[in-house]
Amino acid sequence: MIHTALCDMLGIAYPIIQGGMAWVSTAELAAAVSEAGGLGIIGSGQAPPGWLREQIELARKLTSKPFGVNVMLRSPFVEDIMTILREEPVAVVTTGAGNPGKYVPALREKGTKVIPVISSVALARRLTRSGVDALIAEGMESGGHIGDLTTMALVPQVVDAVDIPVIAAGGVFDGRGLVAALALGAVGVQMGTRFICATECTVHQKVKEFVLKAKDRDTMITGASAGHPVRVVRNKLSRIYAEMEKNGAPFEEIEKLGVGSLRLAMVEGDVDNGTVMAGQICAMVRQIQPARDIIVDIVNSAGKVLEHLNSLVVME
Ligand code: TUI
């Protein structure tokens, strides 16, 4: 059993947040994670606002436990999404791919905890001044839109820079990752990639099979030359990206490749021509299992790691 300040802050049993992955983290997955004692998150990505309203309604039917919504700040619908979150407040809002500062007061007024994902110390400091409740420090081991520091380097620097709770993300698969995060000063972890292969995850079956097959070096970063680095599982589309970037293709053309490609993979199941975002631990994902089993495995393995570490302490 592992209990941290994050559990008290969010009213959850275990300090595990499920990443709000666009087109992947639907109400079914979020509710299953929350039911299992973690914090489930609906990923609103670039989906239209009506979709989010339905998903919040569905999650409320599936669980009475707290859950959250991730807002992708580069979505064209971000203002409408924020309006819905004021009308239908959820326990937690996480944000990604930008600075959510101006939305913080209205969300907190509704009792929503605001927990931005950040990849630098500078933004961590700035957001602390905006009055956010906690931060998720996400290393470049993560899937999707990333910064350039690793989790190992980023988390302790953010922990030292701010006086609010920090959650670690990027490269976490099991109890070893959870304990490592706690050792770095975090109060918990956010995990995305492992939950892609949760039984309750509604992503296309072909995506689950693709992730199950991935090996340690099968992810790569696309879009860095256009200023938006995104970690994906290598496929036909990522090879086209690499070729274009090598040839110095213009920024706009590289950006164009990505439009609609995440949905194409995650919803339509086209894992050749679509974008399959996943983190570097994708090779460790070897089975499809219920969210509850994933959470139990993380918590039990963390207990064993802690016992082992404790056995290394020699009294002088
Ligand atoms: O947001 C993510 N991961 C994502 S979002 C996404 S969907 C997408 N669609 C189209 C274009 C781009 C993305 C897929 N994966 N993770 C959280 C995260 N946020 N990591 C890094 C950041 C971040 C980066 C820069 C947060 C703030 C930031 O600030 C820049 C600024 O505006 O100051």
Side-chain angles (χ1 to χ4, degrees):
M1 180 69 175
I2 287 208
H3 188 96
T4 72
L6 184 66
C7 303
D8 299 326
M9 178 181 177
L10 303 182
I12 56 179
Y14 310 116
I16 301 166
I17 299 179
Q18 163 248 315
M21 301 168 280
W23 300 117
V24 175
S25 303
T26 57
E28 288 89 345
L29 176 62
V33 171
S34 288
E35 279 293 296
L39 184 79
I41 305 265
I42 297 166
S44 60
Q46 309 211 34
W51 179 88
L52 178 62
R53 206 184 278 280
E54 284 168 20
Q55 290 288 306
I56 293 173
E57 219 169 272
L58 177 56
R60 289 218 171 96
K61 285 200 187 107
L62 296 173
T63 184
S64 55
K65 299 222 161 83
F67 64 89
V69 168
N70 175 266
V71 180
M72 208 285 278
L73 293 164
R74 282 158 45 80
S75 163
F77 304 115
V78 63
E79 296 299 331
D80 293 340
I81 295 278
M82 289 296 180
T83 303
I84 289 175
L85 291 170
R86 286 192 291 270
E87 289 167 6
E88 301 287 338
V90 293
V92 175
V93 164
T94 63
T95 63
N99 181 342
K102 66 175 174 181
Y103 304 109
V104 173
L107 289 168
R108 293 194 80 237
E109 212 169 89
K110 297 286 177 187
T112 299
K113 298 260 191 303
V114 183
I115 311 184
V117 179
I118 50 94
S119 52
S120 73
V121 170
L123 190 56
R125 283 211 176 95
R126 219 177 302 146
L127 284 169
T128 305
R129 291 195 286 272
S130 301
V132 302
D133 295 277
L135 292 167
I136 299 171
E138 186 189 81
M140 53 85 83
E141 296 93 322
S142 300
H145 181 73
I146 50 172
D148 45 20
L149 294 176
T150 60
T151 304
M152 180 83 98
L154 176 68
V155 173
Q157 294 189 65
V158 174
V159 166
D160 286 349
V162 302
D163 53 9
I164 55 174
V166 176
I167 296 132
V172 181
F173 174 75
D174 58 16
R176 290 171 294 183
L178 172 55
V179 171
L182 299 179
L184 296 175
V187 294
V189 291
Q190 175 183 272
M191 300 173 50
T193 302
R194 189 168 181 183
F195 286 110
I196 297 174
C197 288
T199 311
E200 297 88 347
C201 180
T202 55
V203 76
H204 198 285
Q205 184 66 21
K206 283 199 174 144
V207 174
K208 293 189 183 182
E209 287 163 13
F210 198 56
V211 169
L212 289 175
K213 274 198 322 217
K215 296 194 292 291
D216 58 346
R217 300 181 64 234
D218 280 349
T219 72
M220 64 173 282
I221 297 170
T222 60
S225 66
H228 294 115
V230 171
R231 183 175 301 284
V232 303
V233 182
R234 289 178 206 273
N235 66 359
K236 190 172 150 197
L237 179 63
S238 73
R239 281 188 280 277
I240 294 172
Y241 260 104
E243 191 63 25
M244 282 178 66
E245 295 196 64
K246 196 175 78 189
N247 296 334
F251 168 93
E252 300 79 18
E253 265 181 52
I254 292 168
E255 288 274 286
K256 239 193 279 167
L257 269 186
V259 176
S261 68
L262 184 59
R263 190 182 178 282
L264 181 64
M266 300 307 195
V267 179
E268 307 293 329
D270 189 341
V271 295
D272 299 318
N273 303 296
T275 300
V276 181
M277 297 182 185
Q280 288 187 320
I281 57 87
C282 61
M284 296 170 92
V285 183
R286 279 295 162 260
Q287 56 174 325
I288 293 170
Q289 57 184 161
R292 183 173 297 277
D293 293 4
I294 294 175
I295 302 261
V296 167
D297 173 65
I298 299 163
V299 173
N300 285 347
S301 60
K304 291 200 183 98
V305 174
L306 282 172
E307 267 171 31
H308 169 64
L309 293 181
N310 212 32
S311 78
L312 302 179
V313 178
V314 182
M315 290 298 172
E316 299 226 11

